[in-house]
Amino acid sequence: MPGSSKPPKAEEPVRSMVIVVDDDADLRDALANLFQSVGMEVSVFGSAPELLRAKLPDVPSCLVLDIRLPGVSGLDFQGQLARLEMHLPIVFMTGHGDIPMSVRAMKAGAVDFLAKPFRDQDMLDAVAVAIERDRERRAASQSAGLLRERHAALTPRESEVMKYVTKGLLNKQIAGEMDLAEITVKIHRGNMMRKMQAGSVADLVRMAESLGIHKG
């Protein structure tokens, strides 16, 4: 229809990110092209400090990291990220790798350790595993955060009732422990179960374990 035009397509949010750190510009470009060819978002950096200065989207991510970098080595940077509590799963790559390096990297939590030259598919497979690991970590962290918020919303009495319930005590027994009427315990218990969104005592026990509320 004359004069009509389609509205511009909204930019899709970034769903995941591959971060590449290598001082070899040609390899950075090659990896960027590889990841983009399969629809992955990618950011590339020539050094560890460049990455630390950058603002990246808060999405499931992984770090493809050269073991030998100018200044801070890849292994040292792995330790630095851990101290900064930046939980990026790492795929290491190197042209000079050896067994002690790979063992150290893997013990510190690296997802994989690829020697150059590596097959494109090996890199894509390692990155897919790393991103999925970060996605699972984020989901678990979010769930734990919601659980802590629910527990923080309990009154002191409700929190105390929760401890006794997860020990397996009945309402009458809890009433005796807390020097309360049984009906009062029932009210606190009902409020506590609702706030914690626990469908059963078994659910509540699992929540208590996640929160570090011990039975003893």
Side-chain angles (χ1 to χ4, degrees):
M1 183 176 179
S4 66
S5 62
K6 292 182 179 179
K9 187 177 180 181
E11 187 173 340
E12 291 186 4
V14 176
R15 290 174 296 177
S16 62
M17 173 73 70
V18 185
I19 303 160
V20 178
V21 179
D22 195 300
D23 60 331
D24 183 336
D26 290 338
L27 181 58
R28 290 199 303 271
D29 291 343
L31 286 171
N33 290 334
L34 171 64
F35 297 133
Q36 288 169 347
S37 72
V38 294
M40 293 180 173
E41 297 283 345
V42 59
S43 289
V44 297
F45 303 94
S47 68
E50 281 184 33
L51 169 57
L52 291 178
R53 289 193 297 266
K55 183 168 178 59
L56 297 168
D58 185 18
V59 295
S61 306
C62 83
L63 177 58
V64 177
L65 182 62
D66 193 355
I67 203 95
R68 295 182 184 272
L69 293 169
V72 179
S73 73
L75 286 174
D76 288 339
F77 188 47
Q78 182 185 30
Q80 186 178 354
L81 289 174
R83 289 189 296 275
L84 293 171
E85 296 189 352
M86 294 178 66
H87 305 288
L88 283 171
I90 299 174
V91 175
F92 274 109
M93 54 185 177
T94 182
H96 312 279
D98 56 18
I99 291 175
M101 274 187 177
S102 62
V103 169
R104 180 181 163 190
M106 298 300 280
K107 278 187 174 180
V111 174
D112 213 333
F113 192 98
L114 303 178
K116 302 173 186 176
F118 43 77
R119 293 174 57 245
D120 286 354
Q121 192 58 50
D122 288 342
M123 174 60 77
L124 291 173
D125 289 346
V127 163
V129 169
I131 287 178
E132 183 58 28
R133 182 179 295 183
D134 195 41
R135 184 173 283 112
E136 290 172 357
R137 178 194 65 79
R138 285 167 172 270
S141 178
Q142 183 179 32
S143 178
L146 290 172
L147 201 56
R148 286 192 295 271
E149 286 179 11
R150 292 175 198 165
H151 186 255
L154 299 180
T155 66
R157 286 288 198 192
E158 290 164 357
S159 182
E160 192 174 359
V161 167
M162 178 176 172
K163 289 181 182 179
Y164 285 125
V165 170
T166 56
K167 286 181 181 180
L169 273 65
L170 302 175
N171 288 345
K172 186 175 181 179
Q173 295 169 311
I174 298 171
E177 291 287 340
M178 297 179 65
D179 194 23
L180 295 173
E182 188 174 347
I183 186 62
T184 304
V185 170
K186 287 181 180 179
I187 293 170
H188 287 316
R189 180 171 180 158
N191 289 337
M192 176 270 294
M193 295 291 282
R194 175 180 53 78
K195 289 180 181 179
M196 293 302 298
Q197 297 182 28
S200 66
V201 172
D203 284 344
L204 194 68
V205 169
R206 284 191 289 270
M207 292 176 183
E209 289 173 350
S210 296
L211 289 164
I213 300 171
H214 304 294
K215 294 181 181 180

